[in-house]
Amino acid sequence: MGLDEVTISKAIIEDFYRAFLEYTDIDAGIVGAGPSGLVCAAYLAQAGFRIAVFERKLSVGGGMWGGGMMFPRIVVQESALDILDDFGIRYKAYAPGYYLANSVEAVAKLAAGAVSSGAEIFNLMSVEDVMIREDDAVAGLVVNWTAVEMAGLHVDPLSIKAKMVVDATGHDASVCRIVERKVAGAGFNEGKGVVGEKSMWAEAGEKMLAATTREVYPGLVVTGMAANAVSGGHRMGPVFGGMLISGTMAAELVKHKLKERQ
Ligand code: 48F
């Protein structure tokens, strides 16, 4: 049988539009497909929720791809090994309490885990705004093609209704910054706004994540480095246990909120 280019085009267009339509009304929208966002998406989708991940870049994985200074290795602490096991990511012991994994394998398996659990990843899409409703809660995301943003084209975005939103945008904490900027007098983050992250201190940053991963505004949970950036936690460099655990915690918080509303 021959190959027909129009059939190939139709297959791609039809299936993508079906998915895009299906995900205009979701349980949770995860912004950012770095490690914390992917883990969060995978566990929520596994629990049966309709989950979409919006990633600005062509590639998923955020800051995990590049390992440490482009050496494609990451360090993971013992406390997060069960998450590596869940995703089938291999690791080896390096020193007591320190484990090593290949960053390319880790990203590939986190993404595969999220997708095969049922989450839909929309790459090349940037979240440029949120929807806030009368009850002063985040009620959705406003998205556009990253190419539109990069080219500075004047093209209006489209909106996605989401019961919960997760800011997993890393150091930028970009969703939280949008809420801070646009919701006048919202008292965002207990009135402090986005504090910004502090300098490198892996241990302190890791400890803070347990407290900084939280619902910072009604309907908006923050995870990963974005969580520390919002609350003034330290950056941590290429040690990823905290990011993975924070993604798990965010998934639990979102699950709890969604179940309350059922
Ligand atoms: O930065 P990123 O990997 O966030 P993370 O999950 O992990 C942080 C670590 O990679 C590392 C670290 C470990 O100690 O410090 O930095 O917290 O992934 C964030 C993703 O969000 C995307 C961005 O392209 C990246 O892939 N992103 C950021 N802003 C937007 C966005 C936006 N407005 N819309 C869509 N995607």
Side-chain angles (χ1 to χ4, degrees):
M1 213 179 70
L3 276 177
D4 170 34
E5 287 84 356
V6 174
T7 307
I8 295 168
S9 302
K10 278 182 167 174
I12 291 168
I13 294 166
E14 268 180 29
D15 198 66
F16 180 77
Y17 275 99
R18 179 202 52 75
F20 201 20
L21 272 176
E22 204 178 302
Y23 285 85
T24 49
D25 190 348
I26 53 182
D27 290 316
I30 318 284
V31 189
S36 62
L38 289 173
V39 166
C40 181
Y43 288 138
L44 283 170
Q46 240 169 50
F49 295 108
R50 191 194 295 257
I51 304 300
V53 182
F54 298 95
E55 168 52 52
R56 167 177 276 159
K57 293 193 176 150
L58 176 58
S59 61
V60 295
M64 197 184 234
W65 270 126
M69 206 177 151
M70 293 205 285
F71 296 177
R73 299 289 182 274
I74 52 168
V75 171
V76 176
Q77 309 87 307
E78 194 141 20
S79 50
L81 293 186
D82 54 337
I83 303 174
L84 295 186
D85 289 334
D86 268 0
F87 287 85
I89 299 165
R90 297 167 306 160
Y91 51 84
K92 57 187 176 197
Y94 177 71
Y98 296 79
Y99 294 81
L100 263 173
N102 178 305
S103 64
V104 174
E105 176 182 349
V107 168
K109 288 185 173 168
L110 290 178
V115 173
S116 50
S117 300
E120 186 74 36
I121 299 179
F122 294 95
N123 62 336
L124 293 166
M125 281 191 201
S126 291
V127 168
E128 59 166 62
D129 200 355
V130 294
M131 295 197 281
I132 308 270
R133 286 297 170 263
E134 296 77 25
D135 55 353
D136 284 338
V138 175
L141 293 168
V142 178
V143 301
N144 213 332
W145 296 112
T146 304
V148 165
E149 182 187 81
M150 287 171 76
L153 300 175
H154 189 172
V155 179
D156 272 321
L158 292 174
S159 304
I160 308 287
K161 188 174 169 190
K163 295 190 185 92
M164 292 291 297
V165 163
V166 178
D167 185 343
T169 61
H171 305 269
D172 296 347
S174 53
V175 182
C176 291
R177 285 192 194 277
I178 291 167
V179 174
E180 179 184 32
R181 205 172 60 241
K182 297 213 168 182
V183 185
F188 176 79
N189 189 26
E190 290 137 23
K192 296 191 291 286
V194 177
V195 177
E197 73 182 24
K198 290 198 186 130
S199 60
M200 181 86 88
W201 186 357
E203 193 177 344
E206 174 95 14
K207 279 192 186 135
M208 280 194 78
L209 268 175
T212 60
T213 303
R214 61 198 169 95
E215 190 178 32
V216 281
Y217 185 80
L220 175 62
V221 166
V222 65
T223 182
M225 265 322 295
N228 268 4
V230 167
S231 299
H234 291 269
R235 65 182 300 203
M236 282 168 290
V239 58
F240 280 84
M243 298 299 118
L244 304 175
I245 293 169
S246 172
T248 311
M249 288 174 60
E252 286 307 314
L253 280 170
V254 171
K255 262 188 230 172
H256 182 72
K257 293 278 165 188
L258 289 173
K259 281 182 184 153
E260 264 179 8
R261 294 192 193 178
Q262 275 172 355

